[in-house]
Amino acid sequence: MKKYLQSAALLATFALLAGCSSSAEKEKHLALLADSRAGLISAKLPLESGPLSIMQATAKGSTIELMMVYNQDAKGAKPVADVFKRSVQTYCTADDTKNNLQVGLSYRIKMRNARGQLLIDELVTQQNCENN
């Protein structure tokens, strides 16, 4: 019986270590994916759409951080909350970003006004998409 308990404890330890390794490998893979995606976006910067400009894209772990500037004073500019809400909808429905969210990446959107004041600093995840 003692030998059986030792074997069971040893198997449980190996299973636990394998699970941790698998999780660490997944995080490493997601970090590489986020870094690659941020690099692709960075190569196209600045991206402009009316009064909104994406100025910087970086990766931190499995999160792609996007620094945007929103010119609220531009003709036809909408309230920043509406712009952010529309951005989230786009991230949740556009094929490339939707796929990234589904595999576990997230997007951190930092939106500043033309004077550099932080207007929005929000994380977009698959869970955000499911809740909307």
Side-chain angles (χ1 to χ4, degrees):
M1 180 73 169
K2 186 177 179 184
K3 192 167 190 145
Y4 173 75
L5 290 175
Q6 286 176 334
S7 296
L10 189 60
L11 285 174
T13 302
F14 283 133
L16 181 63
L17 289 174
C20 291
S21 175
S22 175
S23 177
E25 285 296 316
K26 182 179 179 183
E27 282 301 313
K28 184 178 178 181
H29 174 73
L30 289 174
L32 288 172
L33 183 59
D35 191 52
S36 172
R37 183 68 181 149
L40 288 172
I41 296 168
S42 289
K44 299 176 184 177
L45 295 180
L47 292 170
E48 297 182 12
S49 178
L52 183 66
S53 300
I54 301 175
M55 304 303 291
Q56 182 181 27
T58 57
K60 288 195 179 165
S62 61
T63 301
I64 300 165
E65 294 188 353
L66 300 171
M67 177 62 67
M68 303 178 182
V69 174
Y70 185 61
N71 185 357
Q72 296 171 295
D73 301 325
K75 184 178 180 181
K78 299 191 181 323
V80 71
D82 293 349
V83 173
F84 176 71
K85 184 177 179 180
R86 179 71 179 128
S87 294
V88 171
Q89 290 171 345
T90 300
Y91 281 89
C92 292
T93 57
D95 288 339
D96 57 344
T97 52
K98 179 181 177 181
N99 291 338
N100 288 337
L101 291 167
Q102 288 174 339
V103 298
L105 293 183
S106 58
Y107 290 86
R108 183 175 180 191
I109 297 177
K110 291 183 178 182
M111 200 176 297
R112 297 184 179 274
N113 66 14
R115 293 182 295 268
Q117 297 168 315
L118 189 62
L119 303 172
I120 300 279
D121 185 353
E122 295 288 336
L123 195 64
V124 179
T125 65
Q126 178 62 31
Q127 187 174 6
N128 296 109
C129 297
E130 292 168 358
N131 292 338
N132 289 329

